[in-house]
């Protein structure tokens, strides 16, 4: 991929770029908990976004996206959301840097990668992080990884309109080979947890669908959680987020007031508890116990949080009673994308064959299967 970026860049801009990469992520457990100040357990994967970049002497910003075979140009005095989507993940970062008082000069940039788009593996966060890292490097801004992750998240809020939590950008920046990151989204303290999955492989099944309600429903879920918090805060003024809430508080304060809000909040409170248990399972190397929790998470995401879809449910149901599968669930925001599965090493090939056929029969769609390895976070690829 690095060679490809260099070749395309040289053809478009007739010079040699510096190349940066930032990975996509999976999440073992802790879905829709990040914006509720809860815990998440993501890991960076061996699929990344790559950015080739050079500084210009004027203030022009020339972008080219390999995936779309499309160019976009503007200048640093006119950074605003574009009518087409892909430049916004780049311009949003420039905008945040400018708002924080950094001077960004003109640059040429090529972006490409091998993270499937819309698959729930955070290709957009990877673009934002790769761009933040690249601009920080070439304009010598001296920003920490945490600062860059936070401004990449803000870029997503402002230029993509998705009020996401910090999980995706944090995982992309802070990924560590063969480790998951247990992140406390309230304090931003984190701990690496070795992914001890002896005998099992992590396999993603991509539904290859992304339903259009994904981002509007995402923002709605966030609001519903905030509503739950404000109902509880009437009786418990110290409560600021669902992190401070117990099941008993939910029962006493929300259950009788709004059953929909209750369901949403219940899922989040339970998911935080599950995550702490999952970290213990991982430390003990108990893959079956971890997998069981993944199935429970899917159940909650489908019935209580209602962010799953027919295609995801089909894939999780298909493997549910299969002895060779320890656990499976949808991953990411939902309404399409991938399921994550823990499958016995020697059973992967046969299962991929069977499930692909069954999925096609059921939906008339083609399934993609990826074996993922866990890799390091954002980095510079050449100099
Ligand atoms: C998306 C968001 C994340 C997180 C997940 C759900 O990936 O970008 O911040 O909320 O959904 O866990």
């Amino acid at each position: 991929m690095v060679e490809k970026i260099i070749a395309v860049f040289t053809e478009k801009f007739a010079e040699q770029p510096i190349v940066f990469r930032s990975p996509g992520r999976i999440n073992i457990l802790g879905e829709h908990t990040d914006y509720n100040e809860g815990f998440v357990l993501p890991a960076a994967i061996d699929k990344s976004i790559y950015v080739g970049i050079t500084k210009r002497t004027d203030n022009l910003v020339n972008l080219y996206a390999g995936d779309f075979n499309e160019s976009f140009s503007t200048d640093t005095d006119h950074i605003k959301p574009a009518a087409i989507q892909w430049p916004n993940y780049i311009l949003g970062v420039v905008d945040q840097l400018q708002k924080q008082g950094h001077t960004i000069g003109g640059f040429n940039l090529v972006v490409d990668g091998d993270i499937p788009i819309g698959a729930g593996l955070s290709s957009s966060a990877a673009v934002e992080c790769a761009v933040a890292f690249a601009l920080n490097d070439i304009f010598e801004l001296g920003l920490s990884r945490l600062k860059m992750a936070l401004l990449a998240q803000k870029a997503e809020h402002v230029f993509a309109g998705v009020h996401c939590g910090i999980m995706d950008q944090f995982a992309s920046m802070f990924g560590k080979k063969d480790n998951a990151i247990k992140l406390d989204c309230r304090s931003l303290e984190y701990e690496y947890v070795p992914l001890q999955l002896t005998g099992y492989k992590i396999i993603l099944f991509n539904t290859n669908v992304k339903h259009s309600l994904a981002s509007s429903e995402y923002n709605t879920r966030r609001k519903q959680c905030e509503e739950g918090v404000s109902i509880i805060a009437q009786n418990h003024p110290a409560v600021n987020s669902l992190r401070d809430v117990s099941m008993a508080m939910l029962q006493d304060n929300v259950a009788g007031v709004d059953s929909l809000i209750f369901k949403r909040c219940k899922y989040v409170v339970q998911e935080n508890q599950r995550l702490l248990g999952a970290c213990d399972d991982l430390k003990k190397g108990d893959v079956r116990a971890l997998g069981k929790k993944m199935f429970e998470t899917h159940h909650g995401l489908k019935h209580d949080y209602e962010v799953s879809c027919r295609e995801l449910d089909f894939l999780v149901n298909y493997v549910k009673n299969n002895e060779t599968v320890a656990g499976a669930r949808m991953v990411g925001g939902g309404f399409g994308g991938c399921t994550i599965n823990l499958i016995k090493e020697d059973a992967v090939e046969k299962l991929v064959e069977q499930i692909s056929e069954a999925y096609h029969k059921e939906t008339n769609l083609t399934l993609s299967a990826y074996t993922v390895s866990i890799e390091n976070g954002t980095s510079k690829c050449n100099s």
Side-chain angles (χ1 to χ4, degrees), residues 296-308:
E296 285 166 16
T297 293
H298 188 80
H299 187 272
L301 288 167
K302 171 174 162 50
H303 295 284
D304 294 331
Y305 218 63
E306 296 181 283
V307 291
S308 187

Side-chain angles (χ1 to χ4, degrees), residues 22-58:
S22 204
R25 60 105 192 89
I26 52 166
N27 186 21
I28 306 293
L29 221 83
E31 215 65 88
H32 287 279
T33 45
D34 58 353
Y35 52 85
N36 288 304
E37 296 196 341
F39 295 100
V40 290
L41 192 58
I45 59 173
D46 57 333
K47 296 188 180 302
S48 295
I49 292 294
Y50 294 78
V51 149
I53 193 165
T54 53
K55 263 197 226 180
R56 295 180 58 91
T57 49
D58 55 20

Side-chain angles (χ1 to χ4, degrees), residues 86-128:
W86 69 263
N88 289 332
Y89 300 110
I90 300 163
L91 302 176
V93 171
V94 178
D95 176 61
Q96 283 305 315
L97 287 168
Q98 289 178 332
K99 284 193 173 128
Q100 293 179 17
H102 298 288
T103 306
I104 307 295
F107 58 91
N108 298 326
L109 183 148
V110 168
V111 59
D112 208 341
D114 55 10
I115 310 176
I117 293 173
L121 304 178
S122 295
S123 56
S124 62
V127 174
E128 291 148 1

Side-chain angles (χ1 to χ4, degrees), residues 225-357:
C225 293
E226 285 163 8
E227 217 173 307
V229 170
S230 72
I231 296 172
I232 296 169
Q234 290 168 10
N235 292 328
H236 300 270
V239 166
N240 279 317
S241 69
L242 288 180
R243 174 69 175 275
D244 304 317
V245 167
S246 64
M247 277 309 291
M249 280 162 121
L250 274 181
Q251 285 288 0
D252 293 349
N253 296 275
V254 188
V257 177
D258 191 322
S259 58
L260 183 70
I261 301 289
F262 175 72
K263 270 209 305 192
R264 304 289 193 250
C265 297
K266 178 180 88 171
Y267 161 77
V268 173
V269 170
Q270 289 176 338
E271 180 71 351
N272 273 322
Q273 288 164 358
R274 248 192 311 268
L275 189 140
L276 299 176
C279 290
D280 291 339
D281 296 339
L282 263 179
K283 283 175 190 158
K284 286 189 240 150
D286 191 343
V287 185
R288 302 299 307 189
L290 171 66
K292 189 163 171 275
K293 293 188 177 65
M294 291 166 64
F295 281 125
E296 285 166 16
T297 293
H298 188 80
H299 187 272
L301 288 167
K302 171 174 162 50
H303 295 284
D304 294 331
Y305 218 63
E306 296 181 283
V307 291
S308 187
C309 63
R310 183 172 84 85
E311 295 84 356
L312 288 166
D313 294 338
F314 176 81
L315 294 177
V316 172
N317 279 336
Y318 190 88
V319 299
K320 197 145 194 186
N321 297 313
N322 186 323
E323 269 299 296
T324 66
V325 182
R329 65 179 195 82
M330 53 150 277
V331 68
F335 301 103
C338 291
T339 63
I340 174 174
N341 303 260
L342 303 181
I343 305 175
K344 273 252 161 77
E345 251 162 28
D346 52 9
V348 170
E349 208 181 313
K350 189 154 161 242
L351 181 59
V352 168
E353 214 172 275
Q354 290 170 337
I355 198 167
S356 304
E357 199 185 314

Side-chain angles (χ1 to χ4, degrees), residues 110-186:
V110 168
V111 59
D112 208 341
D114 55 10
I115 310 176
I117 293 173
L121 304 178
S122 295
S123 56
S124 62
V127 174
E128 291 148 1
C129 289
V131 170
F133 205 86
L135 293 174
N136 180 58
D137 187 278
I138 67 168
F139 291 110
E140 297 173 30
L141 307 177
L143 297 171
S144 67
R145 279 182 189 259
L146 181 59
K147 278 240 163 75
M148 290 187 269
L150 288 166
L151 78 84
Q153 178 198 16
K154 199 81 201 290
E156 176 94 21
H157 290 187
V158 179
F159 271 47
V162 178
H163 290 265
C164 64
I166 188 62
M167 171 168 76
D168 303 348
Q169 291 81 4
F170 199 96
S172 196
M173 277 283 175
F174 285 86
K176 180 174 168 189
K177 193 163 177 52
D178 297 331
N179 282 261
I181 311 167
K182 179 189 171 196
L183 172 66
D184 177 337
C185 299
R186 174 155 66 183

Side-chain angles (χ1 to χ4, degrees), residues 60 320 381:
L60 291 183
K320 197 145 194 186
C381 305

